[in-house]
């Protein structure tokens, strides 16, 4: 079965971008096997009759708990004259998660079809560690489309080559039967060389991905998502003050 | 009656008489001591439990310990008061003793003051991976007088606070990312460009190697036996060592696979007369 999101019944093989999932009935349990280039995961599932494959929030890979921001490269960079604004869609490769089809918030597996990488926004000494999202380059890879509205409210022209934002500003929605997903809009307003990044709305009508609760993430991964909101964040606006 | 038995009897009778006179005071003292101990302990626990939510763990522990010791001192004064012991005399005697002790305990005071300054300056905190006075390890406790470090090989080191405060402290946890650096020699016959590509590919395939700041591979030296390549990349500080270990090993495999030789130290020897002999 070609890799599309949605439920996967036992006995059907699923694959996408070098990753393959096998789900087989083994007595009263299900045997889950996922193999990608260089990684493999095997699980015995009890009390689960099917699984759901969907995009994962970019906060688990490569190491959960290390970062709480997302780094979206804009390539090629966008040059904005004073007073100019533009709405673009940045397509990136998303991580994938496997949830139990019978409910439950904890993922069975989280994996990536590419090497998950991180980047520092700002200096190595006091910068912000963020998950780097690769630009989607076509093919059948899992794609996440992020609508970004850029507005230059400065007196000078600016060139924007990246958008960094707290993970909590990015909600992901997916459509079962396809390998396409999209997020809410991200609003970036540049003023005095500093970008104010805020969370926009979502009107697309796709299904929200199953997510772990903030409390669960905090207790399980030590990821203080509530604290993320406060860091360089004023009134729910994240300040990109270390370069655009 | 033998002498020692006589002394024992006298002592017992004296104690008995003293006890009968002072028993209410003894009971009152025990009650006072128990009260202060229990109350001090509860307050200590509560201070730590609630303090740890708003201030660092080590500071919360020190404050809660101080509260407990304060209650112990209070208990001592209260018991002296129960036995009608004049505190004025003790204070005078304490003052003189204090001067003597002051001279004798300069190091202790120095450590105590350094401990307080360590709390104010906060160059390290509990759990930090550090190197102090040549001891590399993780801080497990910062007390008023000393700091305890468990070195990487699992040995507990106790360092006086004045040493810690005046030493060069390397704190490995205060930055977002740390640089990993290797010097790798390849043979003069090897393709430098290919070697750089192979090494960069290994770094790019390592999840812990950061994309920004980006990696660097460059020729840094023409050595006696090899061309020296400097390899640099950055990794998140908590995972620096994992990245350092893994990437170096993978570079070795990748260079082997690409047929790039990492040469042994070698020397070319010319014997006198070789040229004449052809």
């Amino acid at each position: 079965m070609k890799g599309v999101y949605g439920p996967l019944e036992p006995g059907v093989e699923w694959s996408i971008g070098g990753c393959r999932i096998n789900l087989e009935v083994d007595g009263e349990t299900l045997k889950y096997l996922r193999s990608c280039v260089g990684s493999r995961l095997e699980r015995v599932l009890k009390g689960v009759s099917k699984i759901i494959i969907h995009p994962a929030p970019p906060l688990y890979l490569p190491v959960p708990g290390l970062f709480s921001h997302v780094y979206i490269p804009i390539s090629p960079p966008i040059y904005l004259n004073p007073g100019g604004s533009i709405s673009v869609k940045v397509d990136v490769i998303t991580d994938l998660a496997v949830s139990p089809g019978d409910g439950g918030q904890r993922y069975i597996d989280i994996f990536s079809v590419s090497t998950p990488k991180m980047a520092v926004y700002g200096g190595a000494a006091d910068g912000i560690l963020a998950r780097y999202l690769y630009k989607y380059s076509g093919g059948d890879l899992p794609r996440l489309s992020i609508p970004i509205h850029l507005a230059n409210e400065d007196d000078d022209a600016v060139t924007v080559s990246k958008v960094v934002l707290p993970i909590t500003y990015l909600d992901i929605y997916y459509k079962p039967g396809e390998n396409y997903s999209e997020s809410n809009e991200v609003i970036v307003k540049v003023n005095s060389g500093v970008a104010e990044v805020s969370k926009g709305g979502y009107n697309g009508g796709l299904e929200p991905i199953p997510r772990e609760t903030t409390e669960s993430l905090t207790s399980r991964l030590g990821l203080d998502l509530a604290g993320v909101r406060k860091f360089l964040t004023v009134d729910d606006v994240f300040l990109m003050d270390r370069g655009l | 009656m033998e002498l020692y038995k006589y002394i024992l009897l006298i002592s017992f009778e004296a104690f008995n008489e003293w006890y009968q006179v002072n028993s209410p005071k003894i009971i009152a003292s025990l009650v006072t001591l128990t009260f202060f101990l229990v109350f001090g302990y509860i307050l200590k626990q509560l201070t730590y439990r609630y303090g740890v939510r708003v201030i660092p763990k080590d500071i919360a522990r020190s404050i809660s310990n101080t509260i407990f010791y304060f209650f112990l001192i209070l208990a001592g004064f209260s018991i002296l008061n129960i036995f009608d012991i004049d505190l004025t005399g003790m204070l005078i005697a304490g003052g003189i003793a204090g001067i003597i002790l002051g001279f004798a305990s300069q190091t202790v005071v120095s450590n105590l003051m350094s401990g307080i300054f360590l709390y104010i300056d906060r160059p390290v905190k509990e759990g930090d991976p550090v190197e102090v006075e040549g001891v590399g390890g993780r801080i497990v406790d910062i007390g008023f007088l000393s700091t305890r470090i468990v070195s990487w090989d699992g040995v507990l080191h106790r360092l006086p606070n004045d040493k810690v405060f005046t030493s060069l402290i390397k704190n490995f946890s205060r930055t977002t990312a740390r640089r990993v650096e290797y010097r790798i020699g390849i043979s003069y016959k090897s393709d430098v460009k290919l070697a750089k590509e192979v090494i960069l590919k290994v770094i790019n395939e390592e999840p812990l190697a950061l994309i920004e700041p980006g990696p660097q591979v460059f020729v840094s030296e023409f050595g006696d036996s090899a061309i020296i390549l400097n390899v640099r990349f950055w990794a998140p500080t908590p995972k620096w060592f994992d990245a350092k270990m893994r990437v170096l090993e993978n570079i070795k495999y990748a260079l082997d696979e690409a047929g790039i030789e990492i040469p042994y130290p070698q020397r070319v020897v010319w014997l006198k007369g070789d040229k004449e002999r052809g």
Side-chain angles (χ1 to χ4, degrees):
Chain A
M1 181 184 175
K2 204 167 159 67
V4 291
Y5 302 138
L8 182 70
E9 305 283 347
V12 184
E13 188 183 275
W14 185 94
S15 69
I16 193 168
C19 290
R20 184 169 288 133
I21 292 175
N22 277 298
L23 191 67
E24 288 169 13
V25 179
D26 186 12
E28 291 185 347
T29 60
L30 286 182
K31 195 175 167 190
Y32 171 85
L33 176 68
R34 188 261 306 157
S35 58
C36 295
V37 181
S39 75
R40 188 173 183 275
L41 186 97
E42 204 174 335
R43 290 264 188 277
V44 173
L45 312 177
K46 172 75 179 161
V48 176
S49 62
K50 63 179 178 187
I51 56 172
I52 297 173
I53 302 166
H54 56 81
L59 55 84
Y60 294 93
L61 300 174
V63 184
L66 272 189
F67 53 87
S68 45
H69 290 72
V70 182
Y71 185 119
I72 305 164
I74 297 182
S75 175
I78 294 172
Y79 176 91
L80 274 176
N81 258 331
S85 68
I86 186 171
S87 288
V88 292
K89 281 201 171 182
V90 178
D91 287 352
V92 295
I93 299 171
T94 180
D95 295 340
L96 298 169
V98 177
S99 292
D102 313 79
Q105 292 172 331
R106 285 276 292 275
Y107 297 148
I108 294 165
D109 185 17
I110 303 146
F111 61 98
S112 178
V113 295
S114 56
T115 306
K117 299 282 272 187
M118 295 171 282
V120 171
Y121 173 61
D126 61 346
I128 299 167
L129 192 64
R131 169 66 195 277
Y132 184 89
L133 297 179
Y134 283 109
K135 189 181 173 186
Y136 172 75
S137 53
D140 68 342
L141 298 173
R143 176 161 57 124
L144 169 65
S145 192
I146 305 169
I148 298 176
H149 179 76
L150 293 166
N152 182 10
E153 298 176 352
D154 214 341
D155 295 333
D156 291 325
V158 291
T159 303
V160 182
S161 63
K162 57 185 159 279
V163 175
V164 179
L165 65 154
I167 284 169
T168 46
Y169 285 15
L170 209 62
D171 295 333
I172 300 175
Y173 301 84
Y174 77 117
K175 189 175 183 182
E178 292 182 15
N179 60 10
Y180 170 79
S181 57
E182 55 194 25
S183 76
N184 57 293
E185 191 179 36
V186 174
I187 299 161
V188 182
K189 288 179 185 171
V190 183
N191 206 333
S192 308
V194 173
E196 295 181 350
V197 184
S198 58
K199 186 177 180 177
Y202 176 72
N203 303 311
L206 300 189
E207 223 174 281
I209 57 166
R211 296 184 75 136
E212 263 190 271
T213 59
T214 305
E215 293 75 24
S216 169
L217 286 169
T218 307
S219 65
R220 207 167 63 81
L221 306 177
L223 194 64
D224 184 10
L225 289 179
V228 170
R229 287 179 162 275
K230 292 172 196 156
F231 188 65
L232 277 181
T233 303
V234 184
D235 295 333
D236 276 340
V237 171
F238 174 73
L239 298 178
M240 273 179 70
D241 62 352
R242 299 165 189 211
L244 302 172
Chain B
M1 191 181 284
E2 290 172 44
L3 182 64
Y4 79 94
K5 284 184 180 169
Y6 180 73
I7 291 169
L8 268 179
L9 186 66
I10 294 286
S11 304
F12 179 74
E13 279 178 0
F15 174 77
N16 200 26
E17 193 180 329
W18 177 83
Y19 179 75
Q20 279 182 3
V21 173
N22 289 301
S23 57
K25 288 180 180 175
I26 292 168
I27 292 165
S29 302
L30 285 174
V31 170
T32 305
L33 183 65
T34 311
F35 170 77
F36 276 108
L37 277 179
V38 171
F39 191 67
Y41 181 77
I42 291 169
L43 211 59
K44 175 190 163 177
Q45 294 294 333
L46 286 175
T47 310
Y48 180 74
R49 193 178 298 172
Y50 290 103
V52 81
R53 295 176 191 177
V54 285
I55 51 176
K57 200 166 68 175
D58 46 346
I59 295 183
R61 184 181 295 149
S62 295
I63 291 174
S64 59
N65 280 339
T66 309
I67 287 172
F68 183 67
Y69 293 134
F70 175 72
F71 274 87
L72 267 186
I73 293 167
L74 270 186
F77 279 123
S78 304
I79 289 167
L80 289 173
N81 200 30
I82 288 169
F83 282 98
D84 299 325
I85 295 170
D86 188 11
L87 288 178
T88 321
M90 282 200 70
L91 283 175
I92 294 165
I96 296 163
I99 293 166
I100 298 163
L101 277 173
F103 279 111
S105 60
Q106 278 184 46
T107 318
V108 176
V109 174
S110 167
N111 281 327
L112 186 69
M113 292 310 291
S114 298
I116 291 166
F117 287 133
L118 278 175
Y119 279 117
I120 296 166
D121 194 34
R122 311 276 307 152
V124 290
K125 61 178 172 38
E126 270 183 42
D128 281 356
V130 293
E131 192 181 308
V132 185
E133 282 280 302
V135 178
R138 204 170 282 279
I139 301 255
V140 289
D141 183 40
I142 304 170
F144 275 122
L145 297 178
S146 64
T147 298
R148 287 172 169 78
I149 299 173
V150 172
S151 56
W152 302 124
D153 55 356
V155 179
L156 181 72
H157 296 253
R158 178 193 168 278
L159 296 174
N161 279 343
D162 64 340
K163 275 243 161 63
V164 176
F165 191 66
T166 53
S167 291
L168 168 74
I169 299 173
K170 286 186 187 174
N171 191 329
F172 300 116
S173 70
R174 291 291 169 91
T175 53
T176 309
R178 279 183 71 190
R179 196 175 72 187
V180 177
E181 185 162 353
Y182 314 119
R183 281 164 55 81
I184 296 171
I186 58 166
S187 81
Y188 277 92
K189 287 181 288 180
S190 301
D191 181 346
V192 173
K193 205 173 167 188
L194 177 67
K196 284 167 72 174
E197 280 171 13
V198 166
I199 293 170
L200 276 173
K201 186 167 179 279
V202 170
I203 295 170
N204 289 336
E205 284 172 358
E206 169 53 54
L208 293 177
L210 298 179
I211 280 201
E212 261 188 45
Q216 287 178 307
V217 182
F218 57 92
V219 175
S220 68
E221 193 184 325
F222 294 120
D224 289 341
S225 314
I227 298 172
I228 308 298
L229 297 179
N230 252 45
V231 179
R232 294 174 179 172
F233 69 91
W234 293 76
T237 300
K239 295 286 171 188
W240 177 84
F241 191 66
D242 301 79
K244 184 179 176 168
M245 278 192 310
R246 216 154 57 192
V247 170
L248 188 61
E249 192 177 325
N250 289 339
I251 285 175
K252 169 73 174 110
Y253 297 143
L255 289 177
D256 284 350
E257 204 173 301
I260 295 164
E261 187 192 354
I262 300 175
Y264 294 108
Q266 51 190 266
R267 194 170 294 274
V268 178
V269 180
W270 288 87
L271 295 174
K272 194 178 177 186
D274 274 2
K275 200 176 176 184
E276 288 83 354
R277 283 197 293 271

